[in-house]
């Protein structure tokens, strides 16, 4: 499964709700709670919230979250050297987190659908 355009999925309320639940589950050890006020701006709101988290958290906590979310070491290292204070770099990592969490949600949905059809 390759997610190149998350907007296709983020227009579906069921997917958005599952994504927010997944994010809150993986970030539960932090004080962050992800919410969206408008389904039409889900991606932008989540991107902003995650970018803020990346910018303000300590490296150990970030590493722990990336491990829970399952962002690959290669993806992390690709952005880590650039993450000092740059908005673009934080955004790239935030995008990776959203894509990975969305992937988990869609994979779970596919597995559940396959199990109910057998």
């Amino acid at each position: 499964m390759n997610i190149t355009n998350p907007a296709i999925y983020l227009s579906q309320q069921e997917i958005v709700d599952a994504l927010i639940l997944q994010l809150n589950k993986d970030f539960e050890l932090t004080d962050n709670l992800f919410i969206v006020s408008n389904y039409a701006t889900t991606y932008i709101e989540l991107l902003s919230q995650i970018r803020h988290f990346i910018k303000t958290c300590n490296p150990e906590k970030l590493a722990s979250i990336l491990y829970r979310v399952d962002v690959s070491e290669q993806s992390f290292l690709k952005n880590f050297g650039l993450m000092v204070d740059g908005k673009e770099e934080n955004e790239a990592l935030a995008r990776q987190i959203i894509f990975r969490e969305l992937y988990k949600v869609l994979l779970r949905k596919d597995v559940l659908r396959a199990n109910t059809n057998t």
Side-chain angles (χ1 to χ4, degrees):
M1 181 181 312
N2 185 8
I3 303 170
T4 55
N5 185 2
I8 294 168
Y9 303 103
L10 295 178
S11 62
Q12 302 171 35
Q13 184 174 349
E14 174 189 354
I15 300 293
V16 170
D17 291 341
L19 174 62
I20 292 169
L21 283 173
Q22 184 66 46
L23 280 163
N24 286 329
K25 176 183 168 211
D26 285 343
F27 280 74
E28 74 183 341
L29 300 177
T30 69
D31 292 332
N32 284 344
L33 180 64
F34 296 99
I35 56 171
V36 292
S37 59
N38 181 347
Y39 283 108
T41 59
T42 297
Y43 184 73
I44 294 166
E45 288 184 48
L46 290 176
L47 195 62
S48 174
Q49 292 173 46
I50 295 170
R51 203 173 58 229
H52 176 73
F53 171 81
I54 292 167
K55 183 178 175 184
T56 59
C57 80
N58 66 49
E60 292 83 18
K61 187 181 281 189
L62 179 58
S64 174
I65 291 298
L66 292 176
Y67 178 77
R68 284 189 73 147
V69 171
D70 198 23
V71 171
S72 73
E73 184 177 351
Q74 181 181 8
S75 295
F76 175 71
L77 291 175
K78 177 179 161 185
N79 291 293
F80 185 73
L82 306 170
M83 272 185 13
V84 178
D85 220 9
K87 178 181 175 184
E88 283 184 29
E89 293 77 14
N90 289 342
E91 189 166 315
L93 191 54
R95 250 190 250 115
Q96 288 179 349
I97 291 170
I98 292 171
F99 278 41
R100 184 64 188 141
E101 295 288 60
L102 182 57
Y103 178 81
K104 287 188 218 178
V105 166
L106 295 173
L107 185 62
R108 186 176 305 118
K109 183 178 178 183
D110 283 350
V111 168
L112 289 173
R113 183 179 21 222
N115 287 340
T116 58
N117 291 336
T118 56

